Amino acid sequence: MGILRPAYVDPNSGYRYYSLQQIPVVDAIQLCVDLDISLKHFTDYYMDGSSQIHYGKLIECGTILAKEKIQTIQEQLAMLEKMQAEIERSELIQKSDAMVRCSFPAMNLLLAPHPENDVKMKVRALFHSLVRTAESNGLTVNYFSGRLLHCQGNQRELLFYIGVDIPEGMQNLPENLLQLPAGEYLCCKQKEPAVENAADIFPEQFALDYEKYVIESELSLGDYDCVAPPFELCCSLPDTLRK
């Protein structure tokens, strides 16, 4: 790369020789490697033929990179802890033959009307369309997706959703974003998608007149079946969505 030129090259053997004065340069190069500073930028800290290594700038850059790594690792750990908690909750649902009451955190869902004919190609195209909408609006797509039944009075609306995370401070949000507050849900496992039968699965809740959301998603088990994953239905309970 030309950042450490030999002091002498033997014209016969091609052997490269370096001077004792170049040892500090080698140390600076090694420091860049250890800090994941690209050697393409090494000339910012040392110019070939110069006698000065700019350690102040090098350490400043390394400190910034190290702090960014720490933040990234902390975010990854938080994500992994969240996923582990969801696996534990899903496995509890899977093992139970009865309804399980669960507390859900606030959720941000990007919505689109579900196709009348539940054709896989249409649903897949809808998923990618929502992903593009999220990305174009600066939202981060998470692993959560499925169908949602919105019931209010005699009106029922079947929607497809993907979960998104909203960057802190963002104000201009897309119109098709539903921000569900934290709340209590009644959950049960299903062998296959069944949100259309929610009224039969949750008869007590549908006998009550309140705005309700029934969320359908795959169970996030520790051993995931790619071919035939189990599903769950979760129905919001009255007066438990904390606004």
Side-chain angles (χ1 to χ4, degrees):
M1 297 177 65
I3 60 175
L4 183 65
R5 299 182 186 276
Y8 172 73
V9 179
D10 189 307
N12 298 317
S13 66
Y15 285 1
R16 292 170 293 179
Y17 294 87
Y18 297 86
S19 66
L20 292 175
Q21 289 75 18
Q22 288 178 297
I23 291 178
V25 182
V26 175
D27 292 338
I29 291 173
Q30 185 61 52
L31 181 58
C32 285
V33 172
D34 293 341
L35 296 174
D36 285 339
I37 296 175
S38 173
L39 293 183
K40 294 180 181 179
H41 302 298
F42 188 71
T43 53
D44 293 343
Y45 317 110
Y46 174 79
M47 291 294 294
D48 186 45
S50 172
S51 63
Q52 292 185 341
I53 300 174
H54 303 296
Y55 272 111
K57 291 175 60 178
L58 197 158
I59 292 172
E60 181 181 358
C61 177
T63 301
I64 293 172
L65 290 176
K67 289 181 178 179
E68 290 175 351
K69 286 182 189 177
I70 291 172
Q71 181 177 350
T72 299
I73 291 173
Q74 289 175 337
E75 291 173 353
Q76 290 173 340
L77 283 173
M79 177 191 68
L80 291 172
E81 290 171 356
K82 182 179 178 180
M83 292 177 69
Q84 181 61 39
E86 180 59 21
I87 286 175
E88 293 173 359
R89 189 195 68 83
S90 294
E91 292 184 343
L92 177 64
I93 300 293
Q94 177 72 353
K95 294 175 182 177
S96 176
D97 293 325
M99 297 284 181
V100 178
R101 182 164 174 156
C102 298
S103 298
F104 279 11
M107 294 178 283
N108 299 306
L109 307 178
L110 207 56
L111 305 174
H114 195 275
E116 294 184 4
N117 298 322
D118 192 0
V119 181
K120 288 185 178 180
M121 291 299 294
K122 289 184 178 180
V123 174
R124 189 177 301 168
L126 194 58
F127 174 83
H128 289 296
S129 176
L130 287 176
V131 169
R132 288 193 296 270
T133 299
E135 292 175 346
S136 64
N137 283 273
L139 305 174
T140 302
V141 179
N142 57 43
Y143 61 91
F144 198 46
S145 67
R147 298 189 297 171
L148 180 141
L149 184 65
H150 178 212
C151 306
Q152 189 168 20
N154 296 323
Q155 296 182 346
R156 297 184 184 182
E157 185 180 17
L158 182 59
L159 302 158
F160 184 82
Y161 71 84
I162 63 171
V164 295
D165 297 322
I166 303 174
E168 186 176 351
M170 177 176 285
Q171 296 181 348
N172 297 323
L173 301 175
E175 295 181 357
N176 59 332
L177 179 72
L178 173 65
Q179 294 182 282
L180 277 177
E184 299 291 314
Y185 289 76
L186 203 59
C187 304
C188 63
K189 64 183 177 183
Q190 299 290 319
K191 291 183 179 179
E192 56 188 20
V195 71
E196 294 90 346
N197 304 323
D200 298 325
I201 297 171
F202 304 101
E204 294 182 11
Q205 283 66 46
F206 274 76
L208 301 176
D209 184 18
Y210 69 96
E211 183 179 13
K212 60 183 68 69
Y213 296 93
V214 182
I215 302 173
E216 178 183 83
S217 64
E218 295 178 359
L219 278 173
S220 302
L221 302 176
D223 295 317
Y224 179 77
D225 188 340
C226 299
V227 177
F231 289 79
E232 73 169 328
L233 285 183
C234 301
C235 180
S236 61
L237 296 176
D239 302 325
T240 61
L241 291 183
R242 300 190 293 274
K243 296 184 179 180

